[in-house]
Amino acid sequence: MRLVEITKDNWLDVVFLTTNEDGMPTLCEQYVTSNAFSLVQAQYEGTWTTRAIEHEGKIVGFAMYGYSEDHDCYELLRMMIDRKHQGKGLGAQAIRLVLSEMEQMADCQEVYVSTDPDNARSKHLYEKIGFVSTGRHVDGEELYCYRLFRA
């Protein structure tokens, strides 16, 4: 697995990934904002890195991370694995790759992520990786923090 640049050759693959059970991407999916919306947001806000998640030569997911000017912290803002590839451990692998890239950001000491309080699968995944609930909620979502360990 690897994180790859989103280019003119793969952006459409990224846009049509979905977590919706019916296989049709929408602007607001059950637990994540669409990849299309995220790509536009990243373009205009300028502080986000977007990556396609590639596994065995196929685009299977999307990640968006970086510095949030609104919250004054580093965030894993979006993470999704297409519904056809969920349940295979790819989300955990992808998050670890993102955290590895974020460790390269000199002033990034902590990474925050938020999730719908009803999304038990994502909460379990974040906790398994080492994110800890802060006990706070932001925009109705439960906030988690991961402390980066530097040598």
Side-chain angles (χ1 to χ4, degrees):
M1 172 178 284
R2 64 188 185 127
L3 300 176
V4 297
E5 294 284 332
I6 298 171
T7 67
K8 67 178 184 158
D9 296 323
N10 68 12
W11 73 269
L12 199 55
D13 293 331
V14 172
V15 167
F16 281 112
L17 296 172
T18 183
T19 59
N20 290 335
E21 289 185 24
D22 66 3
M24 295 301 297
T26 56
L27 190 57
C28 295
E29 301 197 3
Q30 184 176 9
Y31 292 122
V32 68
T33 300
S34 76
N35 298 341
F37 181 93
S38 297
L39 289 170
V40 172
Q41 180 183 5
Q43 177 69 31
Y44 288 104
E45 290 185 3
T47 61
W48 302 107
T49 298
T50 57
R51 294 283 185 262
I53 300 164
E54 183 183 84
H55 179 66
E56 297 178 349
K58 187 173 201 169
I59 302 297
V60 299
F62 172 78
M64 181 169 150
Y65 54 94
Y67 182 74
S68 169
E69 291 178 340
D70 289 344
H71 298 125
D72 190 30
C73 65
Y74 284 89
E75 289 185 49
L76 170 54
L77 188 63
R78 308 270 158 63
M79 168 61 63
M80 66 84 67
I81 299 295
D82 187 81
R83 66 179 186 83
K84 295 178 283 192
H85 301 280
Q86 292 181 2
K88 302 175 184 176
L90 301 180
Q93 289 179 54
I95 291 170
R96 287 185 182 103
L97 288 173
V98 167
L99 292 173
S100 179
E101 282 198 4
M102 294 184 82
E103 277 184 321
Q104 305 310 310
M105 299 173 181
D107 56 343
C108 181
Q109 303 295 318
E110 299 173 324
V111 177
Y112 289 87
V113 66
S114 64
T115 189
D116 186 301
D118 295 330
N119 191 346
R121 286 179 64 183
S122 70
K123 289 166 58 169
H124 174 75
L125 174 62
Y126 294 135
E127 290 168 358
K128 182 173 90 172
I129 289 170
F131 282 85
V132 176
S133 176
T134 65
R136 297 182 10 229
H137 285 76
V138 175
D139 298 327
E141 293 193 334
E142 191 170 343
L143 187 65
Y144 285 78
C145 180
Y146 182 90
R147 296 190 189 276
L148 296 172
F149 299 98
R150 300 183 182 276

